Amino acid sequence: MKVKDGDFVMPGDVLGIIEQFLPGEGTYDNEGYIKSSILGNVQINSKMKTISVMPKSGKPALLEVGDTVYGQITDVKAQRVNVNIDRLKNTTRPLALPYIGAIHISQVKEGYLDKLTDAFRIGDIIEATVVKITGDNVDLSTVDKECGVLKAMCTRCRGYMQTTERENELQCKRCSKKEKREVSTNYVNE
């Protein structure tokens, strides 16, 4: 695809290759191809050799290292959990891309964690910090006290869990089962 300055593009459209331009605002590098991350108009800076996309309307949110995000656990493996990132904390703007995050077992908490199922389960709503971004893959951390599980459901009856007196322990309101989680200080008890 040969794009010109001012062309209207959609997310995922190929704008050029890394040998031609440096990716600018509203773009990202995907295996050597510079792609648009937002809906907008192409802006080429020939002097700086950059290609950018300027949004048509309100600027969508792009993740940066250090941002705090909300997401839902979609898979728990031996060494990492996968997270669908829903939105940035403290903004109502939608995300420019459908980001998928991962939390490595070493990024869950300070100290040793025996197994990830003691911290997260599929369906948990979490708050996490962005520590690394590679393309549209995002590495997350829940080491901070504010980060961790915000809302969880019982693995037995799918009832909502409440915090208990013990640290990182939740109890089901419906069946009284107790489970371990990496609980955020912002956990939502209903």
Side-chain angles (χ1 to χ4, degrees), residues 1-5 7-21 23 26-38 40-44 51-53 97:
M1 175 181 197
K2 179 79 170 150
V3 296
K4 301 181 298 296
D5 200 45
D7 283 356
F8 182 74
V9 293
M10 298 191 331
D13 283 353
V14 176
L15 307 175
I17 57 175
I18 204 72
E19 287 84 7
Q20 291 177 303
F21 302 104
T27 69
Y28 64 99
D29 176 11
N30 183 351
E31 297 179 1
Y33 290 96
I34 300 172
K35 294 185 176 183
S36 173
S37 62
I38 60 174
N41 295 93
V42 174
Q43 188 174 51
I44 298 172
I51 191 164
S52 304
V53 177
L97 296 169

Side-chain angles (χ1 to χ4, degrees), residues 42-109:
V42 174
Q43 188 174 51
I44 298 172
N45 184 331
S46 300
K47 186 176 181 182
M48 299 299 290
K49 296 289 185 199
T50 61
I51 191 164
S52 304
V53 177
M54 295 299 117
K56 282 299 270 185
S57 58
K59 191 175 176 181
L62 291 172
L63 292 184
E64 295 179 8
V65 172
D67 285 343
T68 302
V69 296
Y70 297 113
Q72 186 170 23
I73 303 293
T74 58
D75 195 14
V76 181
K77 299 197 187 289
Q79 294 295 311
R80 66 179 171 84
V81 295
N82 292 336
V83 181
N84 275 348
I85 299 172
D86 293 324
R87 71 180 189 91
L88 267 166
K89 185 176 183 177
N90 300 327
T91 185
T92 57
R93 295 180 305 155
L95 291 172
L97 296 169
Y99 290 102
I100 303 295
I103 305 172
H104 188 268
I105 194 167
S106 65
Q107 294 292 320
V108 174
K109 66 180 208 165

